[in-house]
Amino acid sequence: MSSIKVGKSVYAEVCDLNDFKGACEIFDKNDDDLRNNATIKNDLVSSVRVVKAKNEEAKVCSPSTDKEVEIKWTNQTGRAIRVNWINFDCKEETSDRLIEPGGIFDGISYVDHVFQIRDEKTKEDLGKLVVTPTNGTQTLK
């Protein structure tokens, strides 16, 4: 898979390993080139599912869950990135974190919570990461 088209009122959860394990990214809009994404890269997709959005605009929200996951995401993108949590109301939290190249984004999160990743310098959207039971430790490339 090199690109993705996303229909109206849906979003796609795309993971690099079978059974929705490994690095996973949420797509709520078309992406014509996966090479610049933080996790899901060109030709590295093993599982995809389409989810009906809870609203017409297909906004991605973090659901309220109680399954804790310790996360440790290492920034190997070669650029400073900004990580924002997308809250229960589908808004990005203002308590974002800047992660320098080689830095680590760590802490406690919850299964199915979604984070927006952007290039700090260019503000380029690098994708939305979703927390799964198995991707607590991963490298962002």
Side-chain angles (χ1 to χ4, degrees), residues 53-108:
K54 294 180 181 179
N55 52 54
E56 267 187 49
E57 296 178 43
K59 290 181 182 175
V60 175
C61 307
S62 291
S64 179
T65 65
D66 60 358
K67 296 177 186 171
E68 277 191 2
V69 175
E70 186 173 337
I71 57 174
K72 184 177 180 181
W73 297 338
T74 305
N75 178 8
Q76 295 298 324
T77 65
R79 51 189 165 177
I81 58 174
R82 187 142 314 258
V83 179
N84 291 11
W85 177 56
I86 299 175
N87 70 22
F88 310 123
D89 296 325
C90 310
K91 297 178 181 155
E92 289 183 36
E93 286 290 308
T94 56
S95 59
D96 56 11
R97 295 204 13 214
L98 176 66
I99 314 299
E100 296 292 341
I104 296 173
F105 176 75
D106 61 348
I108 300 295

Short mmCIF file of all heavy atoms in Angstrom, two decimals, residues 53-108:
data_model
loop_
_atom_site.label_atom_id
_atom_site.label_comp_id
_atom_site.label_asym_id
_atom_site.label_seq_id
_atom_site.Cartn_x
_atom_site.Cartn_y
_atom_site.Cartn_z
N ALA A 53 -17.52 6.69 11.56
CA ALA A 53 -17.34 7.78 12.52
C ALA A 53 -18.63 8.03 13.29
O ALA A 53 -19.72 7.75 12.79
CB ALA A 53 -16.91 9.04 11.78
N LYS A 54 -18.48 8.59 14.46
CA LYS A 54 -19.64 8.89 15.30
C LYS A 54 -20.28 10.21 14.93
O LYS A 54 -21.28 10.59 15.51
CB LYS A 54 -19.23 8.90 16.77
CG LYS A 54 -18.80 7.54 17.25
CD LYS A 54 -18.40 7.56 18.70
CE LYS A 54 -17.95 6.17 19.10
NZ LYS A 54 -17.53 6.11 20.48
N ASN A 55 -19.71 10.91 13.98
CA ASN A 55 -20.24 12.19 13.55
C ASN A 55 -20.03 12.33 12.04
O ASN A 55 -19.27 11.59 11.44
CB ASN A 55 -19.55 13.34 14.30
CG ASN A 55 -18.04 13.24 14.21
OD1 ASN A 55 -17.49 13.15 13.13
ND2 ASN A 55 -17.38 13.22 15.34
N GLU A 56 -20.72 13.24 11.41
CA GLU A 56 -20.66 13.38 9.96
C GLU A 56 -19.30 13.78 9.44
O GLU A 56 -18.92 13.41 8.35
CB GLU A 56 -21.68 14.44 9.51
CG GLU A 56 -23.00 13.84 9.13
CD GLU A 56 -23.93 14.86 8.51
OE1 GLU A 56 -23.49 15.59 7.61
OE2 GLU A 56 -25.08 14.90 8.96
N GLU A 57 -18.56 14.56 10.21
CA GLU A 57 -17.27 15.05 9.74
C GLU A 57 -16.16 14.02 9.88
O GLU A 57 -15.03 14.28 9.49
CB GLU A 57 -16.90 16.32 10.50
CG GLU A 57 -17.85 17.46 10.24
CD GLU A 57 -17.46 18.68 11.05
OE1 GLU A 57 -16.26 18.99 11.12
OE2 GLU A 57 -18.36 19.31 11.60
N ALA A 58 -16.44 12.88 10.44
CA ALA A 58 -15.45 11.81 10.64
C ALA A 58 -14.28 12.29 11.48
O ALA A 58 -13.14 11.94 11.23
CB ALA A 58 -14.98 11.23 9.31
N LYS A 59 -14.55 13.11 12.47
CA LYS A 59 -13.49 13.54 13.37
C LYS A 59 -13.05 12.35 14.21
O LYS A 59 -13.86 11.54 14.64
CB LYS A 59 -13.98 14.66 14.27
CG LYS A 59 -14.22 15.96 13.56
CD LYS A 59 -14.67 17.02 14.55
CE LYS A 59 -14.96 18.32 13.84
NZ LYS A 59 -15.51 19.32 14.77
N VAL A 60 -11.77 12.29 14.45
CA VAL A 60 -11.22 11.21 15.25
C VAL A 60 -11.13 11.68 16.70
O VAL A 60 -10.59 12.73 16.99
CB VAL A 60 -9.83 10.80 14.74
CG1 VAL A 60 -9.21 9.76 15.64
CG2 VAL A 60 -9.94 10.29 13.31
N CYS A 61 -11.69 10.87 17.60
CA CYS A 61 -11.68 11.19 19.03
C CYS A 61 -11.01 10.05 19.79
O CYS A 61 -10.99 8.91 19.32
CB CYS A 61 -13.09 11.33 19.57
SG CYS A 61 -14.15 12.45 18.67
N SER A 62 -10.49 10.35 20.96
CA SER A 62 -9.99 9.31 21.85
C SER A 62 -11.14 8.84 22.72
O SER A 62 -11.74 9.65 23.43
CB SER A 62 -8.86 9.85 22.73
OG SER A 62 -7.73 10.12 21.96
N PRO A 63 -11.47 7.56 22.68
CA PRO A 63 -12.56 7.08 23.53
C PRO A 63 -12.13 7.01 24.99
O PRO A 63 -10.94 7.00 25.29
CB PRO A 63 -12.84 5.68 22.97
CG PRO A 63 -11.54 5.26 22.38
CD PRO A 63 -10.89 6.50 21.86
N SER A 64 -13.08 6.96 25.87
CA SER A 64 -12.80 6.79 27.28
C SER A 64 -12.61 5.30 27.54
O SER A 64 -13.54 4.51 27.36
CB SER A 64 -13.97 7.32 28.10
OG SER A 64 -13.73 7.14 29.47
N THR A 65 -11.39 4.91 27.89
CA THR A 65 -11.10 3.50 28.17
C THR A 65 -10.32 3.41 29.47
O THR A 65 -9.79 4.40 29.96
CB THR A 65 -10.28 2.85 27.04
OG1 THR A 65 -9.00 3.47 26.98
CG2 THR A 65 -10.98 2.97 25.70
N ASP A 66 -10.22 2.20 30.00
CA ASP A 66 -9.48 2.01 31.24
C ASP A 66 -8.31 1.05 31.09
O ASP A 66 -7.71 0.64 32.07
CB ASP A 66 -10.41 1.55 32.35
CG ASP A 66 -11.11 0.24 32.04
OD1 ASP A 66 -10.91 -0.31 30.94
OD2 ASP A 66 -11.84 -0.25 32.91
N LYS A 67 -7.95 0.70 29.86
CA LYS A 67 -6.84 -0.23 29.63
C LYS A 67 -5.55 0.58 29.45
O LYS A 67 -5.27 1.10 28.38
CB LYS A 67 -7.10 -1.09 28.39
CG LYS A 67 -8.28 -2.00 28.54
CD LYS A 67 -8.53 -2.77 27.27
CE LYS A 67 -9.81 -3.57 27.39
NZ LYS A 67 -10.19 -4.17 26.11
N GLU A 68 -4.78 0.67 30.53
CA GLU A 68 -3.54 1.44 30.51
C GLU A 68 -2.46 0.77 29.67
O GLU A 68 -2.35 -0.45 29.64
CB GLU A 68 -2.99 1.61 31.93
CG GLU A 68 -3.60 2.71 32.71
CD GLU A 68 -2.86 3.01 34.00
OE1 GLU A 68 -1.82 2.38 34.30
OE2 GLU A 68 -3.34 3.88 34.74
N VAL A 69 -1.67 1.61 29.01
CA VAL A 69 -0.51 1.16 28.24
C VAL A 69 0.63 2.11 28.55
O VAL A 69 0.46 3.33 28.49
CB VAL A 69 -0.79 1.16 26.72
CG1 VAL A 69 0.46 0.79 25.94
CG2 VAL A 69 -1.92 0.22 26.37
N GLU A 70 1.78 1.57 28.91
CA GLU A 70 2.96 2.40 29.07
C GLU A 70 3.53 2.64 27.68
O GLU A 70 3.81 1.68 26.95
CB GLU A 70 3.99 1.72 29.97
CG GLU A 70 5.16 2.61 30.29
CD GLU A 70 6.09 1.99 31.31
OE1 GLU A 70 5.64 1.12 32.08
OE2 GLU A 70 7.26 2.39 31.33
N ILE A 71 3.68 3.90 27.29
CA ILE A 71 4.20 4.18 25.95
C ILE A 71 5.61 4.74 26.03
O ILE A 71 5.97 5.46 26.96
CB ILE A 71 3.28 5.13 25.15
CG1 ILE A 71 3.05 6.45 25.87
CG2 ILE A 71 1.97 4.45 24.80
CD1 ILE A 71 2.26 7.45 25.04
N LYS A 72 6.39 4.36 25.04
CA LYS A 72 7.76 4.82 24.88
C LYS A 72 8.02 4.85 23.38
O LYS A 72 8.40 3.84 22.79
CB LYS A 72 8.73 3.90 25.60
CG LYS A 72 10.16 4.38 25.56
CD LYS A 72 11.06 3.46 26.36
CE LYS A 72 12.48 3.95 26.31
NZ LYS A 72 13.37 3.06 27.06
N TRP A 73 7.74 6.00 22.77
CA TRP A 73 7.92 6.15 21.33
C TRP A 73 9.18 6.95 21.08
O TRP A 73 9.32 8.08 21.54
CB TRP A 73 6.72 6.86 20.72
CG TRP A 73 5.42 6.10 20.84
CD1 TRP A 73 5.27 4.76 21.05
CD2 TRP A 73 4.11 6.64 20.76
NE1 TRP A 73 3.94 4.43 21.11
CE2 TRP A 73 3.19 5.57 20.94
CE3 TRP A 73 3.60 7.91 20.57
CZ2 TRP A 73 1.82 5.74 20.91
CZ3 TRP A 73 2.23 8.09 20.55
CH2 TRP A 73 1.36 7.01 20.71
N THR A 74 10.14 6.39 20.35
CA THR A 74 11.42 7.02 20.06
C THR A 74 11.34 7.76 18.73
O THR A 74 10.95 7.19 17.72
CB THR A 74 12.54 5.97 20.01
OG1 THR A 74 12.53 5.24 21.24
CG2 THR A 74 13.90 6.63 19.83
N ASN A 75 11.73 9.02 18.72
CA ASN A 75 11.70 9.85 17.52
C ASN A 75 12.97 9.64 16.69
O ASN A 75 14.02 10.17 17.00
CB ASN A 75 11.56 11.33 17.89
CG ASN A 75 11.57 12.23 16.67
OD1 ASN A 75 11.53 11.78 15.54
ND2 ASN A 75 11.65 13.53 16.91
N GLN A 76 12.85 8.86 15.64
CA GLN A 76 13.95 8.64 14.69
C GLN A 76 13.60 9.23 13.33
O GLN A 76 14.05 8.75 12.30
CB GLN A 76 14.25 7.14 14.58
CG GLN A 76 14.78 6.53 15.85
CD GLN A 76 16.11 7.13 16.28
OE1 GLN A 76 16.95 7.48 15.47
NE2 GLN A 76 16.28 7.27 17.59
N THR A 77 12.77 10.27 13.30
CA THR A 77 12.36 10.91 12.05
C THR A 77 13.44 11.83 11.49
O THR A 77 13.35 12.25 10.35
CB THR A 77 11.07 11.73 12.23
OG1 THR A 77 11.34 12.82 13.12
CG2 THR A 77 9.93 10.87 12.76
N GLY A 78 14.42 12.19 12.32
CA GLY A 78 15.44 13.13 11.89
C GLY A 78 15.01 14.58 11.99
O GLY A 78 15.71 15.48 11.54
N ARG A 79 13.86 14.81 12.57
CA ARG A 79 13.35 16.18 12.76
C ARG A 79 12.59 16.27 14.06
O ARG A 79 12.12 15.27 14.59
CB ARG A 79 12.47 16.58 11.57
CG ARG A 79 11.39 15.57 11.24
CD ARG A 79 10.72 15.94 9.93
NE ARG A 79 9.95 14.83 9.43
CZ ARG A 79 9.22 14.88 8.34
NH1 ARG A 79 9.16 16.00 7.64
NH2 ARG A 79 8.55 13.85 7.92
N ALA A 80 12.50 17.49 14.59
CA ALA A 80 11.73 17.70 15.81
C ALA A 80 10.25 17.52 15.48
O ALA A 80 9.77 18.02 14.46
CB ALA A 80 11.99 19.10 16.36
N ILE A 81 9.53 16.80 16.34
CA ILE A 81 8.11 16.58 16.11
C ILE A 81 7.32 17.05 17.32
O ILE A 81 7.82 17.09 18.44
CB ILE A 81 7.78 15.09 15.81
CG1 ILE A 81 8.24 14.18 16.95
CG2 ILE A 81 8.36 14.66 14.48
CD1 ILE A 81 7.81 12.73 16.80
N ARG A 82 6.08 17.42 17.07
CA ARG A 82 5.17 17.84 18.12
C ARG A 82 4.07 16.79 18.21
O ARG A 82 3.47 16.41 17.21
CB ARG A 82 4.59 19.21 17.82
CG ARG A 82 3.80 19.71 18.98
CD ARG A 82 3.89 21.18 19.30
NE ARG A 82 5.14 21.87 19.35
CZ ARG A 82 5.77 22.20 20.47
NH1 ARG A 82 5.30 21.82 21.64
NH2 ARG A 82 6.86 22.91 20.44
N VAL A 83 3.80 16.31 19.44
CA VAL A 83 2.82 15.25 19.69
C VAL A 83 1.69 15.85 20.52
O VAL A 83 1.93 16.37 21.60
CB VAL A 83 3.47 14.06 20.44
CG1 VAL A 83 2.46 12.97 20.72
CG2 VAL A 83 4.65 13.51 19.65
N ASN A 84 0.46 15.76 20.02
CA ASN A 84 -0.73 16.26 20.73
C ASN A 84 -1.73 15.12 20.90
O ASN A 84 -2.02 14.40 19.96
CB ASN A 84 -1.44 17.36 19.94
CG ASN A 84 -0.65 18.63 19.84
OD1 ASN A 84 0.51 18.67 20.19
ND2 ASN A 84 -1.28 19.67 19.36
N TRP A 85 -2.31 15.03 22.09
CA TRP A 85 -3.38 14.06 22.33
C TRP A 85 -4.69 14.64 21.78
O TRP A 85 -4.99 15.81 21.98
CB TRP A 85 -3.51 13.80 23.83
CG TRP A 85 -4.63 12.87 24.19
CD1 TRP A 85 -4.82 11.61 23.72
CD2 TRP A 85 -5.70 13.13 25.10
NE1 TRP A 85 -5.95 11.05 24.30
CE2 TRP A 85 -6.51 11.98 25.15
CE3 TRP A 85 -6.06 14.22 25.89
CZ2 TRP A 85 -7.63 11.88 25.94
CZ3 TRP A 85 -7.18 14.11 26.68
CH2 TRP A 85 -7.95 12.96 26.71
N ILE A 86 -5.46 13.82 21.08
CA ILE A 86 -6.78 14.22 20.61
C ILE A 86 -7.77 13.73 21.66
O ILE A 86 -7.91 12.53 21.88
CB ILE A 86 -7.10 13.64 19.22
CG1 ILE A 86 -6.08 14.16 18.21
CG2 ILE A 86 -8.52 14.01 18.80
CD1 ILE A 86 -6.22 13.56 16.83
N ASN A 87 -8.45 14.65 22.31
CA ASN A 87 -9.26 14.29 23.48
C ASN A 87 -10.63 13.71 23.12
O ASN A 87 -10.94 13.46 21.96
CB ASN A 87 -9.38 15.47 24.45
CG ASN A 87 -10.23 16.60 23.91
OD1 ASN A 87 -11.07 16.43 23.03
ND2 ASN A 87 -10.03 17.79 24.45
N PHE A 88 -11.44 13.50 24.14
CA PHE A 88 -12.76 12.86 23.98
C PHE A 88 -13.72 13.70 23.14
O PHE A 88 -14.67 13.18 22.59
CB PHE A 88 -13.38 12.58 25.34
CG PHE A 88 -12.46 11.88 26.30
CD1 PHE A 88 -12.16 12.43 27.53
CD2 PHE A 88 -11.88 10.66 25.96
CE1 PHE A 88 -11.30 11.78 28.41
CE2 PHE A 88 -11.03 10.01 26.83
CZ PHE A 88 -10.74 10.57 28.06
N ASP A 89 -13.48 15.02 23.08
CA ASP A 89 -14.32 15.92 22.28
C ASP A 89 -13.76 16.15 20.89
O ASP A 89 -14.19 17.07 20.19
CB ASP A 89 -14.46 17.28 22.98
CG ASP A 89 -15.17 17.17 24.31
OD1 ASP A 89 -16.08 16.33 24.42
OD2 ASP A 89 -14.80 17.90 25.25
N CYS A 90 -12.78 15.36 20.50
CA CYS A 90 -12.15 15.42 19.17
C CYS A 90 -11.27 16.65 18.99
O CYS A 90 -10.95 17.03 17.86
CB CYS A 90 -13.18 15.38 18.05
SG CYS A 90 -14.37 14.05 18.19
N LYS A 91 -10.86 17.28 20.07
CA LYS A 91 -10.00 18.46 19.99
C LYS A 91 -8.60 18.08 20.45
O LYS A 91 -8.44 17.26 21.35
CB LYS A 91 -10.55 19.58 20.87
CG LYS A 91 -11.90 20.06 20.42
CD LYS A 91 -12.44 21.13 21.33
CE LYS A 91 -13.82 21.52 20.81
NZ LYS A 91 -14.68 22.07 21.80
N GLU A 92 -7.60 18.72 19.85
CA GLU A 92 -6.24 18.49 20.28
C GLU A 92 -5.99 19.22 21.59
O GLU A 92 -6.34 20.38 21.74
CB GLU A 92 -5.25 18.99 19.23
CG GLU A 92 -5.24 18.13 17.99
CD GLU A 92 -4.20 18.59 16.99
OE1 GLU A 92 -3.12 19.04 17.40
OE2 GLU A 92 -4.50 18.50 15.79
N GLU A 93 -5.40 18.51 22.53
CA GLU A 93 -5.05 19.12 23.81
C GLU A 93 -3.96 20.14 23.61
O GLU A 93 -3.07 19.96 22.78
CB GLU A 93 -4.58 18.04 24.79
CG GLU A 93 -5.68 17.19 25.34
CD GLU A 93 -6.60 17.93 26.28
OE1 GLU A 93 -6.12 18.57 27.23
OE2 GLU A 93 -7.82 17.87 26.06
N THR A 94 -4.00 21.19 24.37
CA THR A 94 -2.97 22.22 24.26
C THR A 94 -1.69 21.83 24.99
O THR A 94 -0.66 22.44 24.80
CB THR A 94 -3.48 23.57 24.82
OG1 THR A 94 -3.90 23.36 26.15
CG2 THR A 94 -4.60 24.10 23.97
N SER A 95 -1.74 20.79 25.78
CA SER A 95 -0.55 20.33 26.50
C SER A 95 0.25 19.38 25.61
O SER A 95 0.47 18.23 25.95
CB SER A 95 -0.94 19.65 27.81
OG SER A 95 -1.80 18.55 27.53
N ASP A 96 0.69 19.90 24.47
CA ASP A 96 1.44 19.08 23.54
C ASP A 96 2.89 18.93 24.00
O ASP A 96 3.34 19.61 24.91
CB ASP A 96 1.38 19.66 22.13
CG ASP A 96 1.86 21.10 22.07
OD1 ASP A 96 2.44 21.59 23.05
OD2 ASP A 96 1.66 21.73 21.04
N ARG A 97 3.61 18.02 23.35
CA ARG A 97 5.01 17.79 23.71
C ARG A 97 5.88 17.86 22.48
O ARG A 97 5.55 17.29 21.44
CB ARG A 97 5.15 16.42 24.37
CG ARG A 97 4.41 16.40 25.67
CD ARG A 97 4.81 15.43 26.74
NE ARG A 97 6.02 14.71 26.67
CZ ARG A 97 6.15 13.47 27.13
NH1 ARG A 97 5.11 12.85 27.65
NH2 ARG A 97 7.31 12.87 27.09
N LEU A 98 7.00 18.55 22.62
CA LEU A 98 8.00 18.63 21.57
C LEU A 98 9.02 17.51 21.81
O LEU A 98 9.56 17.40 22.91
CB LEU A 98 8.70 19.99 21.59
CG LEU A 98 9.83 20.17 20.60
CD1 LEU A 98 9.30 20.13 19.17
CD2 LEU A 98 10.55 21.48 20.86
N ILE A 99 9.26 16.69 20.78
CA ILE A 99 10.21 15.59 20.90
C ILE A 99 11.31 15.82 19.87
O ILE A 99 11.07 15.77 18.66
CB ILE A 99 9.54 14.22 20.66
CG1 ILE A 99 8.21 14.10 21.42
CG2 ILE A 99 10.50 13.09 20.99
CD1 ILE A 99 8.30 14.20 22.91
N GLU A 100 12.50 16.09 20.34
CA GLU A 100 13.65 16.33 19.47
C GLU A 100 14.08 15.01 18.81
O GLU A 100 13.76 13.93 19.31
CB GLU A 100 14.81 16.93 20.27
CG GLU A 100 14.52 18.30 20.85
CD GLU A 100 14.39 19.39 19.81
OE1 GLU A 100 14.85 19.22 18.66
OE2 GLU A 100 13.79 20.44 20.14
N PRO A 101 14.84 15.09 17.70
CA PRO A 101 15.36 13.86 17.09
C PRO A 101 16.13 13.03 18.11
O PRO A 101 16.94 13.56 18.87
CB PRO A 101 16.28 14.37 15.99
CG PRO A 101 15.74 15.73 15.64
CD PRO A 101 15.24 16.28 16.95
N GLY A 102 15.84 11.74 18.17
CA GLY A 102 16.46 10.85 19.14
C GLY A 102 15.78 10.87 20.49
O GLY A 102 16.08 10.04 21.34
N GLY A 103 14.86 11.79 20.71
CA GLY A 103 14.14 11.90 21.98
C GLY A 103 13.06 10.85 22.12
O GLY A 103 12.72 10.14 21.16
N ILE A 104 12.50 10.77 23.31
CA ILE A 104 11.49 9.75 23.62
C ILE A 104 10.23 10.42 24.15
O ILE A 104 10.29 11.29 25.00
CB ILE A 104 12.03 8.74 24.64
CG1 ILE A 104 13.22 7.98 24.04
CG2 ILE A 104 10.95 7.78 25.09
CD1 ILE A 104 13.94 7.08 25.01
N PHE A 105 9.09 9.98 23.63
CA PHE A 105 7.78 10.37 24.13
C PHE A 105 7.34 9.21 25.02
O PHE A 105 7.10 8.11 24.54
CB PHE A 105 6.81 10.59 22.97
CG PHE A 105 5.40 10.90 23.39
CD1 PHE A 105 5.07 12.14 23.88
CD2 PHE A 105 4.40 9.95 23.27
CE1 PHE A 105 3.76 12.45 24.26
CE2 PHE A 105 3.09 10.24 23.64
CZ PHE A 105 2.78 11.49 24.14
N ASP A 106 7.29 9.44 26.33
CA ASP A 106 6.93 8.33 27.22
C ASP A 106 5.92 8.76 28.26
O ASP A 106 5.71 9.94 28.49
CB ASP A 106 8.18 7.75 27.89
CG ASP A 106 8.91 8.75 28.77
OD1 ASP A 106 8.60 9.95 28.69
OD2 ASP A 106 9.80 8.33 29.52
N GLY A 107 5.29 7.78 28.85
CA GLY A 107 4.29 8.02 29.86
C GLY A 107 3.23 6.94 29.82
O GLY A 107 3.41 5.89 29.22
N ILE A 108 2.12 7.21 30.47
CA ILE A 108 0.99 6.28 30.49
C ILE A 108 -0.10 6.82 29.58
O ILE A 108 -0.43 8.01 29.63
CB ILE A 108 0.43 6.11 31.92
CG1 ILE A 108 1.51 5.57 32.87
CG2 ILE A 108 -0.81 5.23 31.93
CD1 ILE A 108 1.98 4.17 32.56
#
